Each structure stands twice: as structure tokens, then as C-alpha cells.
Amino acid sequence: MSRTPRIVVADSDRALLEMLQIRLNLAGYETLIVRTGPAALDLVKVARPCVLISEIQLPELDGFGLLEELRLSHDLDCCQVMMMARRLAPEDVRRAAVLGVKTCVAKPFSGADMLDRVAKLSNRNAPAPATAVVWV
């Protein structure tokens, strides 16, 4: 019996979190949502997701700080990471790639594209991409 892939989504936007949780749950994932960087840090350490989707501009601890903390504690070893942002500058994509992020997504994004990317990151349909990709 295979384990349901677990996804952690961190974003301060409650509506976006609820939409992603519904879409991902319907697609067969166990989706856990949080609204702050510290909450995401704690949840990833406990839940050990296969994919972490994080907004760059999280309250209290931004997405980059979250990834740095998770890398220091080796809690990032368990998962693939996708970063989201309303404004995604080239330097953000480079910094994300250095921190091990596989995909960067500019908001707003298509739900279908998000599901496709999560499937690739969770190894459901295809291997994770080797480089950062920006959706616009």
C-alpha cells in the first residue's frame, strides 16, 4: 500500500491556501496549510512532506529564511520545494535555486499548471525538473 503524498503549503492568503488545499486534496494529496514562516518551519519538521510550496513573502519568517532554517537542520532533505510570489525578480529565482528550490511560480497561476508541477515534484508522473522555471 503506497503512502498518500503529503504537501505543505505556506502562504498568508487564506483564500489561496483554501483553494490549493481543495485542488490538491481532490488530486489525491494530503495537503497541510499554514500562514506564517515559523508555522511552516514547525510543520515541515513534523509532517515530513514530499513537497513544500512556500510564498516568498511569509509573515514573521520569509520563504528564503524558512528554507535556510530547514537546510541548516537538514529537514529540507525530505522534500522538493516550490516558491511562489506576486513579483518574482530574476535575483529571487537565482537565490531560490541556490537554496534548492526546483520551481518558482509567479502569481496568479493556473490551477492546472500547479497540479502538473506538484505531480512532477512528487514523482507522480515525471521526475522533478532540474532547473528553476518561472510561470507567468
Side-chain angles (χ1 to χ4, degrees):
M1 175 157 54
S2 66
R3 182 177 89 103
T4 302
R6 184 174 294 148
I7 312 295
V8 169
V9 184
D11 196 298
S12 61
D13 182 337
R14 184 183 309 263
L16 176 73
L17 284 175
E18 290 173 357
M19 182 275 298
L20 282 174
Q21 186 174 41
I22 290 167
R23 287 193 83 110
L24 291 167
N25 285 352
L26 288 173
Y29 298 98
E30 177 186 355
T31 311
L32 307 170
I33 58 175
V34 292
R35 297 185 66 202
T36 68
L41 183 63
D42 292 343
L43 185 57
V44 169
K45 288 180 177 191
V46 172
R48 311 290 295 169
C50 66
V51 176
L52 166 63
I53 303 169
S54 177
E55 163 67 57
I56 290 175
Q57 296 299 321
L58 287 174
E60 301 175 43
L61 177 67
D62 73 13
F64 293 125
L66 169 64
L67 294 182
E68 289 165 356
E69 291 288 328
L70 289 170
R71 282 186 69 186
L72 285 174
S73 64
H74 298 283
D75 287 305
L76 199 55
D77 297 346
C78 70
C79 64
Q80 300 292 321
V81 181
M82 179 188 313
M83 296 290 280
M84 316 181 274
R86 281 181 177 51
R87 287 181 216 89
L88 206 52
E91 58 269 13
D92 292 332
V93 175
R94 283 191 292 276
R95 184 175 178 194
V98 166
L99 289 169
V101 172
K102 299 297 182 193
T103 304
C104 291
V105 181
K107 294 177 183 179
F109 49 80
S110 144
D113 286 339
M114 177 62 79
L115 289 177
D116 181 57
R117 186 58 55 188
V118 170
K120 289 175 184 170
L121 289 174
S122 67
N123 293 316
R124 275 195 147 178
N125 295 330
T131 59
V133 176
V134 178
W135 294 340
V136 288

